[in-house]
Amino acid sequence: MPAADPTADHSVPPHRPGSNSLSRGFGLLGDEWSLFLLRLALLGRSKYSEFRAQLPISHAVLTNRLDTLVREGLIEKRMYSERPPRSEYVLTERGRSTWPILTSIWGWELAWVSHHSYETPPMHHRACGKDFAPVLTCGHCRQPVTARDLRAAWGPTGGWRESVPETTTRRRSGSRGTAVDHSFYPDTMAVFGNRWSSALVGAAFLRVHRFTDFQTLLGVPPGLLADRLSALCERGILEQVRTATRPDWAEYRLTEKGLAVFPVIATTIEWSERWVGSPDGPAIEIKHPACGSAFHGVLVCDQCGETLTGAQIELGSVPSAAGTTPES
Ligand SMILES: [Zn+2]
Ligand SMILES: [Zn+2]
């Protein structure tokens, strides 16, 4: 994305221990089952039994994810003293505000991933009555934007290592720490489902391209880095490019498919700054030079051009997990 970007000289900002909005937001949302639960809740599901019927995960995993979402304030658990006692999981405003992220993920899956092992219905815009794709625009000038149109710089709480997503959900012991191996949406999870992968994709948008730069800036162990980079290349999100000046060096560049992930990143950054941001200021500041404004992303419908709202989006049908086997 950037030109006046934080990587201009690849200098590492002063070390600031702890996390920032990016590490918290991407850490929290970069989990397949949490995203599924939010999607089901956005579609109106609220009962434990409904979540259980829709997701092929164990009681323990489902309870763990619901507890995390309740603890982080995205979902509220309401108890009713009836006979038999009844409880409901209801989205808070913080939870409801994830709809642009879920919509962007869905739009990217529909546009860029040809084979789905899981039912992936189109999104329907109630306002215009058409199936649509979301388009990211600048909230100030209303022009469509891509990463190439924007410039980013670290804010007061920014920094490479501070922005690496933290681990929010405990993984099952013995798991390999990633949902990619048994995933309904392996492409999304290749980008989003692992703390290092989303850090690498984020850094690639910030124009980090070399193995050694990923390694030193983010502090990724080299073996893990090699694994993650090759997984991102296998999914067609990054590609290796030989450089003209040093033909023995390969650089990692975002492909068109990788660049198209940008609305997911932009909406997640915006959600993170708003809901899990630091009082000391933003982690990253994004500008739209064409209009000179601070960038605030707005999703519009590609069919009617109107601004989307979460309440006006429907899916063709709610997917059912029946007959599928993956588990977390
Ligand atoms: Zn603008
Ligand atoms: Zn529309």
Side-chain angles (χ1 to χ4, degrees):
M1 110 182 84
D5 76 56
T7 64
D9 60 4
H10 281 192
S11 63
V12 182
H15 180 66
R16 201 192 308 268
S19 62
N20 64 21
S21 60
L22 302 180
S23 71
R24 292 205 61 210
F26 282 83
L28 181 59
L29 298 172
D31 173 81
E32 184 161 35
W33 305 127
S34 301
L35 292 172
F36 258 105
L37 284 170
L38 289 169
R39 196 176 105 207
L40 290 172
L42 284 164
L43 291 169
R45 304 296 177 272
S46 64
K47 297 193 187 81
Y48 183 91
S49 57
E50 292 175 315
F51 298 136
R52 190 71 204 273
Q54 299 276 341
L55 297 176
I57 53 180
S58 66
H59 168 73
V61 173
L62 177 53
T63 303
N64 169 280
R65 296 309 194 273
L66 284 169
D67 286 351
T68 302
L69 293 172
V70 168
R71 191 182 67 231
E72 298 290 335
L74 280 79
I75 283 181
E76 184 192 335
K77 186 176 183 181
R78 291 187 191 157
M79 312 284 279
Y80 301 95
S81 47
E82 296 171 0
R83 279 172 177 274
R86 192 166 64 85
S87 62
E88 245 184 354
Y89 293 89
V90 181
L91 285 171
T92 60
E93 197 192 343
R94 175 188 291 221
R96 249 191 321 276
S97 306
T98 58
W99 74 264
I101 304 170
L102 276 293
T103 302
S104 299
I105 290 175
W106 208 243
W108 182 74
E109 282 279 343
L110 290 169
W112 289 93
V113 183
S114 50
H115 173 74
H116 285 107
S117 58
Y118 198 61
E119 191 187 347
T120 307
M123 289 185 289
H124 190 74
H125 190 204
R126 244 182 237 159
C128 70
K130 292 186 177 147
D131 290 347
F132 74 97
V135 178
L136 183 68
T137 65
C138 168
H140 184 77
C141 67
R142 299 287 161 156
Q143 290 304 303
V145 291
T146 67
R148 293 183 177 111
D149 301 317
L150 302 171
R151 300 291 175 267
W154 291 124
T157 56
W160 292 108
R161 297 195 182 201
E162 292 81 351
S163 305
V164 173
E166 60 189 21
T167 310
T168 311
T169 50
R170 268 170 291 125
R171 307 283 177 183
R172 192 179 49 163
S173 59
S175 90
R176 288 155 67 188
T178 165
V180 173
D181 297 311
H182 301 288
S183 179
F184 290 132
Y185 296 106
D187 291 74
T188 290
M189 286 299 109
V191 179
F192 217 52
N194 172 280
R195 60 196 294 255
W196 292 118
S197 302
S198 47
L200 293 175
V201 171
F205 274 111
L206 292 169
R207 298 189 176 172
V208 178
H209 301 301
R210 290 185 189 149
F211 191 96
T212 48
D213 290 333
F214 286 119
Q215 193 186 337
T216 41
L217 292 171
L218 300 171
V220 202
L224 202 53
L225 176 58
D227 276 2
R228 294 288 156 237
L229 286 172
S230 74
L232 288 165
C233 289
E234 262 170 47
R235 291 278 155 200
I237 290 152
L238 294 179
E239 63 185 346
Q240 275 191 296
V241 179
R242 300 273 156 214
T243 61
T245 45
R246 291 283 306 268
D248 52 328
W249 281 24
E251 291 194 343
Y252 293 87
R253 299 269 170 180
L254 289 158
T255 60
E256 287 303 310
K257 179 179 175 180
L259 287 165
V261 173
F262 183 68
V264 179
I265 308 275
T267 50
T268 307
I269 291 174
E270 219 160 300
W271 183 89
S272 303
E273 295 290 7
R274 178 172 173 201
W275 293 106
V276 294
S278 162
D280 298 330
I284 196 163
E285 291 170 316
I286 305 178
K287 283 209 161 63
H288 187 207
C291 74
S293 291
F295 176 68
H296 154 61
V298 169
L299 294 179
V300 303
C301 169
D302 71 334
Q303 298 296 308
C304 68
E306 292 298 314
T307 300
L308 293 168
T309 62
Q312 289 177 332
I313 298 172
E314 293 172 333
L315 288 186
S317 68
V318 181
S320 157
T324 52
T325 52
E327 53 178 85
S328 170

